[in-house]
Amino acid sequence: MAVEITHADGQKKKSSSGIFQDVVNSIFEPGVNRGVLVVMNAAFAGLFLILFYLLFATRFNIHVCALTLIATGLFVSIQWFVRELAVSKNKSQNKNKDEKSDKTSATRRPTSSAARNKLKKL
């Protein structure tokens, strides 16, 4: 079972109780968590192990070579997509933080006439 930890800055973070629990919890949460990535990478590692064995056992059969290339392309594209998803999520979180700080700074009353003039120009 996941335990919720509150940090000093007020952010709540769930600590993981295991990979299996992370995979089950990912069904109910948006995005991809660490447990799903670990299981997916382990599954691909098993797939590549079997495919490389088949390559040598079949003396580089063209069909097994094609399957290996397809599996490699799938693995690379999934890894790229997950990384881009993380980058996009970080950008949107930073944008939301910037918007919140802009709203709080705009609602404060300026203390000097120069600051008032700046706000009028905006």
Side-chain angles (χ1 to χ4, degrees):
M1 185 170 180
V3 178
E4 200 168 276
I5 299 172
T6 305
H7 293 282
D9 58 357
Q11 292 182 345
K12 291 183 178 181
K13 197 169 195 177
K14 291 183 181 178
S15 68
S16 174
S17 63
I19 292 173
F20 181 73
Q21 187 68 35
D22 283 347
V23 172
V24 171
N25 288 340
S26 73
I27 297 169
F28 305 109
E29 298 173 354
V32 180
N33 62 26
R34 186 181 184 290
V36 172
L37 292 176
V38 169
V39 170
M40 182 187 65
N41 288 337
F44 270 109
L47 173 66
F48 286 127
L49 238 142
I50 291 170
L51 285 173
F52 286 131
Y53 169 75
L54 284 173
L55 278 172
F56 292 114
T58 61
R59 295 186 183 131
F60 295 95
N61 183 331
I62 188 73
H63 299 97
V64 178
C65 290
L67 285 174
T68 304
L69 288 174
I70 290 169
T72 303
L74 178 64
F75 177 73
V76 168
S77 65
I78 288 174
Q79 294 297 318
W80 171 80
F81 181 76
V82 168
R83 285 193 180 98
E84 288 297 317
L85 192 63
V87 167
S88 172
K89 186 177 180 180
N90 287 339
K91 282 183 181 178
S92 68
Q93 286 176 349
N94 289 340
K95 185 178 178 182
N96 289 341
K97 286 180 184 177
D98 290 343
E99 287 176 358
K100 286 180 183 178
S101 66
D102 288 345
K103 286 180 183 178
T104 56
S105 65
T107 57
R108 293 182 187 157
R109 298 191 82 184
T111 57
S112 68
S113 60
R116 281 189 210 120
N117 290 337
K118 277 187 176 180
L119 285 176
K120 285 180 183 178
K121 289 180 183 178
L122 293 175

